[in-house]
Each structure stands twice: as structure tokens, then as C-alpha cells.
Amino acid sequence: MAVHIQGTGVSRRIAIGAATIILRGHINITHRHLQADKIPEEQHRYHQAIENAKKHLIAISSDLPGESPADIRTLINTQLLMLDDPALYQAPLEIIEKEFCNAEWALKQQHNSLLRVFENIEDTYLRARRDDITHIVNRIQRLLLQEASLSDMVTRIKDLSRQILVIDDIGPAELIAIHKRGIAGFITGFGGPLSHTAILARSLGIPAIFGVHGAQHLFEGGEFIIIDGERNTVIGSPDRHVLRWYRRKIQDYRDRQKALNRLRDQKAISLNGEVVELHANIELPDDIRLAKKSGCAGIGLLRTEYMFMNRENLPDEEEQYKAYRSMIRRMKGMPVTIRTLDLGADKQVDSGRNDVPLPVNPALGLRAIRLCLQDHDLFHTQLKAILRAAYGHNVRIMIPMITTLQEINNVKYHISYVKESLRHRGIKHAENVPVGTMIEVPAAAIMASNFAQQCDFLSIGTNDLIQYTLAIDRIDDSVSYLYDPLHPAILRLIKITLDTANSASIPVSMCGEMAGDSQYTRLLLGMGLREFSMQPSSLLQVKEIISQTDINQITHLTNETLSLSDSTAIRDLLAAINSTKLH
Ligand code: PEP
Ligand code: MG
């Protein structure tokens, strides 16, 4: 019998596939006392884990594409050497024998004594070796506990493109890794529609429903599931009539996308002749292809932190420079806005930094520009790479999570410092790159007029602006019903920012998800927004609405929304704005 379950759709996409349940455990190392006769068996188990870790590393190494950075190969080779070192190969076997304990516990003891040796070492190179040891130990522990990475788990699944994964939770880095293998869609037990995993799913065009509590226990596995992102519903074991109806909907969607393609090479011009800039948000170098296919006029947000995920070392200046340069070149003179690292909160990276404790409240902690202003190596490396790649090109630098004027001034100081050091080294770099800030906290919107004097442009990040204004965690599905772009406070903060930038004559854009949601296009046009940046898949639909809108005719209605004090009334007025037929 069919079951209907509510969740939160992260895009209006539909997918049909077979349920594949993924169950994962936590790394939890406990002590077990062994009888003497069990010792050889346990030692053999440890020996096997070491051998499997080696095989795994060799397989990764031979799968690396030719153009992979040399650092990755060096790292793999270093880890292979470590696996042959008696400190890892032999010592735990002796601990098992001496302490009659399980292999995981023995390895944990040995790991602790190795870490103690490194404790007082200042040298950065040697400190990095300590992190290498931790990584390799974690890899062995996972093998001993027979835990596989998500990417490994999905590798074993046949016909992946016809499967819908049902999983507790999935991080942005994991999604990137499994996307490469192709899945029809996925359902999570946790997470809100504005989490970075959700944003990524939207921009990669993967249908998904989030926040289906206990999802893995609601399905048997193998049965058909339909994900309906428009109705925020999952249908398990649908009957053939329902299946047929949804298959037709998928076909209609494809036909509509084809029809929208006719707008690809046209400019976004409103009925009253105003030109609107439509830019794309991208996360990874490969996304340039999607951006160009969407017919965007530039990149309005390059989320650089995604380049730092799914790896155990940080990309160095050269690697970042090459990646930025290649993306900029592929945009062939169109503007590219590169956002400096927005790490932290739900965008944690491995990158050898797992010694850093997680903050108590990651969304309010050391994330984004706060982190960069403390970790100068990290920030300077990125700034150098951007300034070098920007040489002779149309590039802007955008700073996330700015809350004070002091931070803007500090950023400018670091940019000048980095330019000076490039000059000193005789390296070509862009001298006059516009620097702008994101408006993503209420303090920034309120201070917009002061920020506008210090910046070349502003960009409204509604995802965080809504999170911080309404005090709701964007990744917590239990409060996602409060996540409301039409809350009067949000509209007023957006209006303050738009008016301020427009009267200071500096460009202002919006790059949060609100910019790509076509139900808000007319409202934002009426409020004065002329530069939108969004996931490529929404761009043509937004362009179509712009081409059917006379902004002069709707301005009085959009102004009226700003005088209303509750979002239900705003929603009703918005429905009227959106249904207005314009000639
Ligand atoms: C935003 O907050 O609106 C934004 C665009 O940044 P991110 O979603 O990457 O936090
Ligand atoms: Mg943000």
C-alpha cells in the first residue's frame, strides 16, 4: 500500500527510484578484554586492517586523474610509508598481546602515545605529520569497525542512477563525492532546506526531501519511491496510476526546460525596457559548464570553500590560482565575483584541521571572515591566488559574514599587504579589484550606508540574513517552518540595503536563495533589485518572469508590502502581484 510522508523539498524537482537505505554508525572505540587464546586472531584482524588500508590508498592513487595536484600523491605516499612503520604496524600488535585488549583499543593507546611525542613540537612541518598520523589512524579504525565512507557504500550499489538514497544526514562534501557517481535523488532524516547540502542539491539538480524523521525505518528498501519537491512529499510504494502521473510530470518538466532554453541567449529585459543582470552561483570548477549553459551574464557568487572539501590537505596558492584562473578564463570576459572562504558552521572541512575543536555554536562562531582574519596564512594564500588569477580580468572579491566596519578595514589592509608582497616578488596581479561585502547579518543591513562608503559593491545573502534576523538555525528542520523570506523584518532589511546602495551609486546584488525563487522575482524588481545571482537551474525561469513584467506597473504594490506587518498579508499581496497580467 502507498505511504505518503511529509518532509521539506529542497527544489521543485521530482524523482522516481528504488529505495536504498543507508545505515551508518558513529566511531565509538570501547575496550574489550580478550582471553589469551583470542590474541592471535585479534592480531590477525589488525594485520588485515593495515593491509586493507594500503590497498585502499593504492586504489585511490591509481584513480587520481592525471592533472591532480602533486601534493595529493605525496600525501598518499606518506600515508603508505606510515602504514609500513613499526610504530603503526608493530606496536599495536604488542599492546594487544601485553594488555589482552581489542585491536581498536590498542591502536587508540598507540595513537595517544604518538601524539604525546608531538605535543611540544612547534615546527609546522612536524605538526602536519602529527595530523597525517591521525588521519591514517582514523582510516584503520574505520576499517576495524568495518565502517565504510558514504562514497564507498554507494560504490557497491548497482544501477545507482535509479536509486533514491534514504539516509540520516549527509554533509555537503559527501554529497559532492556521491554526486559524481550519479543518484536519482535522496531523502534525509535531518536538515533544513537552506542548509548548504540543500543548496548544493539544488544547484547540482538532485531532487531531495529533507527532514523526514526516522526516514531509514519508514521504508523496506528496494520498493519504488517518488520524491515530490513541489508538494514536500515522499510517496512510498505508489500504485501504477500515481507512477504514471508522476512520470508525465517529469516529462512535462523536461519539455518546459527545453522551451525555456529559447531565452538562453537573450538579455533579461523587463517589459518597460530595464536591463536586469542575471548571474550564477557556483561551488566547484565544473559548475562553470552549468553556469554557461544557463545563459548567465557572469558569476555572482563563487563559493570557494567547496574546493577545500573532500581532501586531507589544504589547496596551496598555486592550486587555487590555477583553479580560479581556469574558471575566470572560461567565463570569457564576463564578471566573476569570488567570495573569500566561508568555512565553518555547516561547511566544515577535513583538510588536516581536525585538531580544531568544534565551536559551541558553529553558526555564531569563528566562521567565514572571522576565521580568515585570525588565520592569516589561510587568508593570504587565498588572496594571493585570487589577485594573481584576476590579472587582466573582470573579477570582484566578496567578503562573507561582515558585521563591523573594522572587519572591512582589516580585510582591505590584508589585501594591500598581499599586493605588496606580490609586487615585491615581481608577480603579476590585479591592482584594482573591486571589494564588496555580503549583507547577511542584520547589523550589516542596518549599517549598510556606512559599509557602502568603504565598499565597491554589496550583495545580499538572504540565507544567512534570514537565519540571523529570525534567530533560526538554517540547518535545523524543526524550526524550518519559521524560515520566512516574507517576514516584514526581512523585507525591510532588504529594502534598506537596496536603497542605500542605489543612492550611494554602488552596485548591489542578491545571491541568497531568495534571488532564484521565481515567486519573489517581481517583488524584488519592484523593491529596486537589478542584479540577481542564483543557482543556474533557476535562471531561465527568472528571466522569463522579468521579460513579462512592467516594473513601473507593480511598484505601488511592492511598496505596499513594506507597510504590512504580517507575512500572511504580504503573501496575499504577493499572489496579486504575481498574477497581475501585464501588457
Ligand atoms: C547567503 O547566506 O545567502 C549566502 C549566499 O551564503 P551561503 O548560503 O553560502 O551561506
Ligand atoms: Mg551566507
Side-chain angles (χ1 to χ4, degrees), residues 101-126:
C101 66
N102 52 320
E104 294 87 344
W105 190 257
L107 179 57
K108 189 176 170 187
Q109 302 312 307
Q110 175 63 4
H111 185 207
N112 288 344
S113 17
L114 289 173
L115 290 185
R116 274 195 292 277
V117 177
F118 282 90
E119 224 154 53
N120 298 318
I121 295 177
E122 287 292 317
D123 185 279
T124 351
Y125 175 80
L126 285 177

Side-chain angles (χ1 to χ4, degrees), residues 17 27 131 258 262 288 313 340 468 471 478 502 579:
I27 290 198
D131 294 340
K258 258 194 214 147
R262 74 184 194 285
I288 288 281
N313 58 347
T340 58
Y468 294 122
S478 65
N502 290 337
S579 59

Side-chain angles (χ1 to χ4, degrees), residues 1-3 226 235-246:
M1 210 186 73
V3 280
I226 296 169
I235 307 172
S237 308
D239 65 32
R240 64 192 164 84
H241 303 291
V242 174
L243 262 178
R244 194 178 317 133
W245 192 79
Y246 272 103

Side-chain angles (χ1 to χ4, degrees), residues 146-162:
Q146 297 188 330
E147 260 191 31
S149 69
L150 184 57
S151 163
D152 286 346
M153 286 182 187
V154 301
T155 310
R156 288 185 221 128
I157 300 168
K158 278 206 198 107
D159 231 358
L160 206 51
S161 62
R162 290 165 194 262

Side-chain angles (χ1 to χ4, degrees), residues 248-260:
R248 214 174 33 239
K249 293 269 296 176
I250 292 177
Q251 193 51 47
D252 289 350
Y253 173 83
R254 289 187 186 136
D255 294 345
R256 167 126 183 83
Q257 286 307 110
K258 258 194 214 147
L260 280 175

